[in-house]
Every structure is written in C-alpha cells, then in structure tokens.
Amino acid sequence: MKVPPWPRPDPPFAAPKGAGRVRIALRACALVTVLAVLLPLHLLVRMAEAPLTQRRRPVSGYLVQGFCRACITMTGLRLIVRGAPMLKAGGVVANHGSWLDIFVLNARHRVVFVSKSEVMEWPAIGYLARCAGTLFIRRDARDALAQNAALAERLRRGEQLVFFPEGTSTDGLRVLPFKSTLFQAFFALSAENPVYIQPVTIIYHAPCEADAAFYAWYGDMDFGPHAAQILAARRGGCVELVYHVPLCVTDFPNRKALAAEAERMVRAAMPPERQG
C-alpha cells in the first residue's frame, strides 16, 4: 500500500443509500438507547460518590467504560489487544487518528483524557466529555505552569491521563512527531514518586474494499458525515491496541528525550508502510 503524502485533502463523503440508511438508523437507535439508560445512572452515581471521593470516579468510571464498549460494538469494530495496560497512575500517550480513539482506549481500560479547552463547548460531545471527567487545557504557552499543575494534581489522585502528543489527528497511516510540552508535568511529579508513561499504538484496519483511512477523522472533516459513513458500513474493520512497556520518567534527562522514545515505540509497532 502506498501511503499518500501529508497533509492530505479531506475525502468526499457520499450520502448513504438503501441498506446503509437502515443500518445507520438501527445502530443510532441502539446507541441512543444505551445512552438514555447509562447517562441518568451515571448522574445518580456521581451525586452519591462526589461528596465521598470528590473528583475521583471509582464507580462512575465503569459506566463510562461500558458506554465506550457499546459504541465500539455498534460501529462494528473488532478490538484486538496486544500487551497489557499498566495498573499504576501515570500517563498514556498514543498516536491519534480518529474520534474513535477515545472510545477504543476507554473500552479497554479506565482512563482520563486530556483535551483542548475548545472541546468543552462542542454540542453533545462537550457535555459527554465533562461527564467522563476529561481534563481540559488551553493550548497556550502562557498557561504552561497552570497546565502542569492541573496534570500533577490528577496524577496525585491516582488517575491515568491520556493525551495525544502529535497535537492533531492524522489519517492513521503515519505517526507525526511527538510534541514534548505536556511531558513536563510528569517530570515535576517524579521528584516525589516514580512516575511512568505507557506508549500505546492504535492501528485501524478498514473494512474490505474500503479506503485504508476509512476510520480516520482529520483536517476539517465534519463529524456527522464521517460518523454516518462508519455506521452505514455493512461490515466493520478492526482496531489494534498495542500496549508497550511503560517508561520511567526518571530514566530520561528531559521531556524531549522522553517524548522521542515514546514516539519511537509507537511508530515501531505500526505496519511497515506506516512507519515513514
């Protein structure tokens, strides 16, 4: 397979027809039903656990994970896991190719995502992200100290924080250079206790005869048409999660060296044609 150059133009989306529309309707109804059951239950559980655990989510986190697993099932994706997620608090870094990454990672292991602050204002998605305990940060160098303090606070509470160091999503057919900014918070906390970061590679395999970037969401692509394309597919593809050996932060002289090694590990697990 020849990988197209990056950046690449957004693909056109054809309106689903016939059986594709039926599949969209059935799968969308199933997702809405699951959400209608789990969301009120989640709110009730949070009302009970918040006074006792504050921002920690020992019970409601499982409800979020259940919803993510339901989403993966409804999209027809088959999940293949290699390696094992670490159990201790720390960071999880992965390549970023789709909005599906959030559901895929949370379906396998309970984590907390670090997201740009703009997502908080997105209709529906922003609300669901807040319910899931997402940590929102501003991508502004002037806020670096505040960002590091917020990350350190979450780590002290025992959470696993997921962020995508590429800084943007791609077509899933490559790994972009990792930005090292958010790695600094882990160095600040490592002075108190050993802190680990686990690299994870996400590899999407498109359904038969579909474009290799079928599941990718990047550039200025609209969410609705892309989600409709996935829900309309007669057969789903699969996604591989490759959990690598966690990296101890104190083994690296600085954040750039740590980011470079995490990037190398994530890229090395991609298929050969996607490692360029």
Side-chain angles (χ1 to χ4, degrees), residues 35-48:
L35 184 60
V37 173
L38 290 183
L39 183 57
L41 181 59
H42 178 273
L43 294 175
L44 289 173
V45 170
R46 278 301 296 155
M47 289 175 61

Side-chain angles (χ1 to χ4, degrees), residues 40-61 63 130-131:
L41 181 59
H42 178 273
L43 294 175
L44 289 173
V45 170
R46 278 301 296 155
M47 289 175 61
E49 73 179 358
L52 301 175
T53 64
Q54 297 182 356
R55 292 188 178 182
R56 292 189 298 111
R57 298 168 181 266
V59 178
S60 60
L63 297 176
R130 292 195 297 273
C131 288

Side-chain angles (χ1 to χ4, degrees), residues 57-73:
R57 298 168 181 266
V59 178
S60 60
Y62 286 104
L63 297 176
V64 173
Q65 186 179 28
F67 176 68
C68 291
R69 288 181 176 178
C71 288
I72 295 301
T73 300

Side-chain angles (χ1 to χ4, degrees), residues 148-235:
N148 289 341
L151 289 166
E153 179 189 355
R154 293 294 191 97
L155 291 172
R156 291 189 185 97
R157 292 207 300 261
E159 295 179 351
Q160 283 193 16
L161 300 176
V162 177
F163 63 99
F164 302 109
E166 292 167 298
T168 186
S169 58
T170 72
D171 57 1
L173 306 182
R174 69 203 75 230
V175 177
L176 300 181
F178 279 13
K179 302 179 186 301
S180 63
T181 304
L182 290 179
F183 285 85
Q184 185 59 43
F186 297 90
F187 278 90
L189 195 60
S190 65
E192 304 172 17
N193 292 293
V195 179
Y196 291 83
I197 287 182
Q198 183 171 39
V200 179
T201 305
I202 306 175
I203 311 168
Y204 288 96
H205 300 280
C208 294
E209 300 181 0
D211 185 279
F214 179 78
Y215 291 108
W217 188 56
Y218 57 89
D220 295 321
M221 294 167 61
D222 291 331
F223 173 78
H226 184 257
Q229 171 186 267
I230 293 174
L231 293 175
R234 183 169 64 91
R235 292 183 179 178

